[in-house]
Amino acid sequence: MYPVGVATLLQFLWEHELPSMLVLVTLSLLLLVVSHFRCNKRQQDTPPNLPRFPLFNTLSFFQRRHDFLAWGFRVTDQRLFQFRLLHNNVVVVSGERGRREFLNAKGLDLQEGFRILSGALPLIHGVTVELRQQRVARIYKRLANVQRNERLTELIPEILNDGRRLLHSWEKAGSLDPFDKIYGIVFQATLRCLTCTEIAGDPEIVARLRQLYEKVDRGTTPATVLFPWFPSPAMLSKARATKQIYDIIVNAIKVRNQSGVPFNDTLQIFLDEGDELSAIVGFMMGLVTAGSRSTGTTGIEAAYLISASWLVLFLGCHPKWRNEARSEVKNLIMSHTLETISESNSPRDSKSTALSSIPLGAWESETPVLDLLIREALRIAQPHVAMRRNVGPTMYIDGKVIPTGTLVVYPFSSVHLNPALYPEPWKFDPARSQPKADLTYLGWGGGAVTCLGARLARLTIKLVAALLLVDFDFDTVDASGRIADPQPIPNWNDAFACRPAQGQFFLKYKRLDSSYWSSEIRPL
């Protein structure tokens, strides 16, 4: 046999006077070359697919998300990769350029991504379907109202009074699970800030709502997220809990309207603005979900539940930072409320009253130690994966095509646990030097989407921490009662609570007596 090349073929057609055939073959060859070029370019523009069976990838995404995404980057050796989630295509983003373009992209919709990939509240006609139809901008506007200076000033003593009541129920000494007890304080604060007096002022209703929201969390499974229409036992339980939450909130609004007695709370803001029932319920159901768990849309969740509990655990492991934080709170009291302390007969009451008298501006601008502690706790213990959906048009991220309708996610671990940005990333080191580049810290969001409740969340954490620091000394211990060494490591696969990966840890505490307080702070 003799090899016949393209040139030989064309020469044969020309010599045998077959011009039509020559043109046809030439065009076919050109189309073949162009098609091959486009195919190669399309493959270069498309993020690589994960090699495993789609069902396995789907289960891993929901059950061990942090490990699964880290594995995806390792096995593809790319900054972006994609996988199938039933009929949805999901692109996972990492790297400096990808992070910047993802966070600033206008076509990536947060609400749609969260709705599809999170499944926080089931869609129930007459309950939550109508809530989704409300204008999100209005809900965000009311959240801004809650965070105005005058409202936050009013909330400070209310949050402290609630926290003091719960702390006074503790024994003089003992051990407790911070993901239970600190959660309880934070959940109470969330209801106080975002709902109404009828709810936040009734311990039985607060306890009932906490149980129901935890039931909603337990009902969030891969099946309920992927098949929300299928009446599985988990979905039915979740739907019943959601309906009961809805009924409690609606009943509280009804009681307020029937009594005609106004209260200085968030509900009254809505009523004074003339907002309809569905908007009020949507705000309270949605933001309480965000404020008390770890998958919300405003960013409050990470600050409230996860970071408040982990901040206390970290302080229990690091006496140096615990003492510095306590000294900072005491200096606040000495600077702003000495007259209040000197007039009080009860050392315990003097501490609580003193904290309530510290002005909002001092909490926000005169607490650099607490700011560093909160920042570091958010970095280490915020297992957030930002979720978006491209609502159009087709876009590119880090040179890879993202068609309309594609789900796009960015794991915060890509930046917060990156040893190139944060050496020894699992080490709790509030004094560490911070990266200089943009968008290298996302504790309160970044780019086009930032935490709209950040001011309220940050203030609440400071108040809860201050209450604990002035009333108790404490250490973090393991299940056998030994001082935790090394410190607990957050389990980023636990998307709801991010509990320690090494097992259960406790807070071993003792109440500080009046002599300790009196010797530390005296009026000048």
Side-chain angles (χ1 to χ4, degrees), residues 159 162 184-194 304 460 464:
I159 294 172
D162 287 337
I185 298 173
V186 171
F187 187 79
Q188 172 70 56
T190 304
L191 295 180
R192 178 66 66 184
C193 296
L194 300 178
Y304 271 19
T460 302
V464 172

Side-chain angles (χ1 to χ4, degrees), residues 100-109 388 395 397 448-449:
R100 182 177 64 252
E101 294 178 353
F102 171 88
L103 292 173
N104 290 304
K106 296 181 179 180
L108 295 182
D109 188 88
R388 309 281 193 271
M395 66 175 64
I397 293 180
V449 178

Side-chain angles (χ1 to χ4, degrees), residues 261-326:
V261 178
F263 286 92
N264 190 18
D265 57 16
T266 298
L267 173 57
Q268 200 63 45
I269 294 175
F270 277 92
L271 295 177
D272 291 344
E273 292 290 340
D275 290 321
E276 63 271 24
L277 177 67
S278 58
I280 301 173
V281 177
F283 176 93
M284 294 182 180
M285 289 187 71
L287 293 189
V288 169
T289 299
S292 62
R293 60 195 292 270
S294 61
T295 55
T297 60
T298 65
I300 297 177
E301 69 290 344
Y304 271 19
L305 170 57
I306 296 176
S307 294
S309 300
W310 271 104
L311 175 59
V312 173
L313 269 184
F314 288 139
L315 288 176
C317 294
H318 298 273
K320 171 184 178 292
W321 286 106
R322 185 167 70 247
N323 292 333
E324 287 197 25
R326 182 178 286 120

